[in-house]
Amino acid sequence: MENTLRDFLNTEVELAKVMFDKRGEIHIMFVGQDASGRRHPVLAITYGDDDKDAAAQMARVYFAAHGIVRYACHSEAWLLTVPKDQPIPATRPKDHPDRFEAVVVNAYDKGPNSLVAMMRITRKVNARARLAPVEITEGPSIGRFANLLETKQ
């Protein structure tokens, strides 16, 4: 098992790059890791927000049943960069004119740790889609795919 959450994230980022390079897209996928280091890939087939909520619940149940101690979520997302001194727009990123598309890999463990790797996608007519270099940030994370590990109260 990788020693740190960052090591785990780096491994998952490399996997996401390979998958994107082969297919030009990423489907939502969770990769859990148990205490022995065994990986548990779980592909989520989603068509809308209800399916994404169901996928998150399915992953939560799977992780609890298999003793998962850390996990990553691979996805594509519309993102928006907002300067710190600006309010967050009410418009969802997918509907905002300044949005950009990215492959995102989030990594979580049972503690408060979370890491996010983001690679912007460049799509050009008559050319393969490409990923920009990875940008990694750390800190708390929110969203339907965040904090899916059961925590002891």
Side-chain angles (χ1 to χ4, degrees):
M1 184 162 100
E2 290 93 352
N3 292 329
T4 68
L5 188 62
R6 186 170 291 268
D7 293 337
F8 179 68
L9 175 68
N10 289 338
T11 298
E12 294 305 314
V13 165
E14 292 307 312
L15 175 61
K17 287 178 183 179
V18 168
M19 290 189 311
F20 187 87
D21 189 50
K22 287 186 179 207
R23 298 177 16 182
E25 64 182 350
I26 294 283
H27 294 284
I28 296 171
M29 182 174 82
F30 301 95
V31 178
Q33 188 174 47
D34 63 27
S36 74
R38 181 172 175 244
R39 286 180 137 64
H40 299 251
V42 180
L43 184 63
I45 307 299
T46 60
Y47 299 101
D49 286 343
D50 289 342
D51 289 344
K52 291 175 185 174
D53 291 337
Q57 183 58 29
M58 180 252 342
R60 183 184 302 277
V61 169
Y62 182 91
F63 293 163
H66 291 87
I68 300 303
V69 297
R70 62 172 58 140
Y71 74 97
C73 177
H74 301 228
S75 63
E76 283 188 22
W78 289 110
L79 302 175
L80 182 64
T81 301
V82 179
K84 288 184 179 183
D85 62 341
Q86 299 290 317
I88 295 174
T91 307
R92 294 177 66 180
K94 73 175 190 168
D95 299 322
H96 197 280
D98 296 329
R99 71 184 183 259
F100 61 92
E101 189 179 17
V103 168
V104 179
V105 181
N106 298 66
Y108 307 90
D109 61 17
K110 285 192 172 187
N113 301 322
S114 70
L115 296 170
V116 179
M118 186 267 300
M119 297 161 280
R120 288 180 185 238
I121 299 171
T122 302
R123 297 187 192 274
K124 295 183 179 176
V125 177
N126 298 324
R128 293 183 71 174
R130 299 281 182 218
L131 294 177
V134 65
E135 298 174 35
I136 297 177
T137 58
E138 57 184 288
S141 209
I142 59 172
R144 66 171 54 96
F145 300 138
N147 306 312
L148 298 179
L149 299 177
E150 290 192 349
T151 56
K152 295 182 180 178
Q153 302 291 332

